[in-house]
């Protein structure tokens, strides 16, 4: 039923719960997981090289890349422990468009499994949640994983 499952990971507990659910689906359907972490360049652009001479932007980008690598490695370990094949994807872009349309098209994704809420509460207040955007704009099925009441 599902051959290619996309799981966006931002380091939040809810994202890893979504990954646990996706791992179970992948075991059931013999699917491959595509684990994505999107480095939000739109937020980093506030510290553009033109405004800050490049050093601050370069340092922030390196920290974001290191954090992204760690998040993806944790996700790969979780998948490997369940004998599920996974591919890590690190993208420098806008998270909403990347997750909803660009990555699913590029990798022929059948299903997106995403946490209901992630790490960026400030962005959610001003721009709306990434999850809401993905549910509205994705051309593939989307499963939204909620945190249990006792975990919030």
């Amino acid at each position: 039923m599902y051959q290619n499952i996309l799981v966006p990971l931002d380091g939040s507990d809810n994202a890893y719960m979504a990954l646990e659910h996706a791992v179970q689906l992948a075991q059931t359907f013999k699917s491959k997981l595509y684990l994505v972490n999107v480095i939000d360049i739109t937020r980093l652009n506030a510290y553009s090289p033109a405004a800050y001479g490049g050093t601050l932007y370069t340092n922030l980008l390196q920290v974001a890349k290191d954090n992204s690598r760690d998040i993806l490695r944790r996700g790969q370990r979780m998948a490997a422990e369940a004998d599920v094949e996974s591919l890590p994807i690190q993208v420098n872009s806008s998270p909403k468009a990347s997750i909803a349309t660009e990555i699913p098209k590029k990798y022929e994704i059948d299903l997106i499994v995403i946490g209901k809420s992630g790490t960026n509460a400030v962005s959610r207040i001003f721009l709306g949640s990434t999850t809401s955007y993905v549910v509205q704009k994705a051309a593939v099925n989307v499963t939204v994983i909620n945190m249990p009441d006792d975990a919030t």
Side-chain angles (χ1 to χ4, degrees):
M1 179 172 221
Y2 298 116
Q3 294 180 344
N4 300 314
I5 301 173
L6 178 64
V7 186
L9 298 175
D10 62 4
S12 67
D13 290 341
N14 201 189
Y16 289 117
M17 287 187 69
L19 176 56
E20 289 173 5
H21 185 81
V23 164
Q24 291 175 358
L25 290 171
Q27 288 173 321
T28 300
F29 296 113
K30 310 267 187 281
S31 310
K32 181 175 182 178
L33 296 181
Y34 292 78
L35 310 177
V36 65
N37 179 267
V38 182
I39 297 173
D40 190 349
I41 292 300
T42 56
R43 285 195 291 163
L44 283 178
N45 283 341
Y47 306 99
S48 71
Y52 294 95
T55 305
L56 179 60
Y57 179 85
T58 303
N59 291 343
L60 288 173
L61 183 58
Q62 188 57 52
V63 168
K65 286 181 177 182
D66 292 345
N67 185 48
S68 177
R69 183 192 64 238
D70 294 343
I71 288 168
L72 291 170
R73 282 184 181 162
R74 179 178 173 190
Q76 282 188 286
R77 279 193 306 272
M78 291 172 67
E81 288 170 2
D83 292 323
V84 171
E85 182 182 3
S86 67
L87 175 72
I89 304 167
Q90 184 183 72
V91 179
N92 300 346
S93 184
S94 164
K96 293 177 180 182
S98 294
I99 295 166
T101 57
E102 295 164 8
I103 295 169
K105 183 177 180 180
K106 180 176 181 178
Y107 294 97
E108 299 179 351
I109 298 299
D110 308 300
L111 175 68
I112 301 169
V113 179
I114 188 169
K116 183 177 178 183
S117 62
T119 59
N120 194 357
V122 174
S123 176
R124 200 167 40 251
I125 291 168
F126 294 107
L127 303 173
S129 82
T130 298
T131 301
S132 176
Y133 183 91
V134 170
V135 167
Q136 292 174 27
K137 301 293 184 180
V140 301
N141 289 333
V142 179
T143 298
V144 178
I145 304 301
N146 198 6
M147 292 288 289
D149 288 338
D150 61 345
T152 55

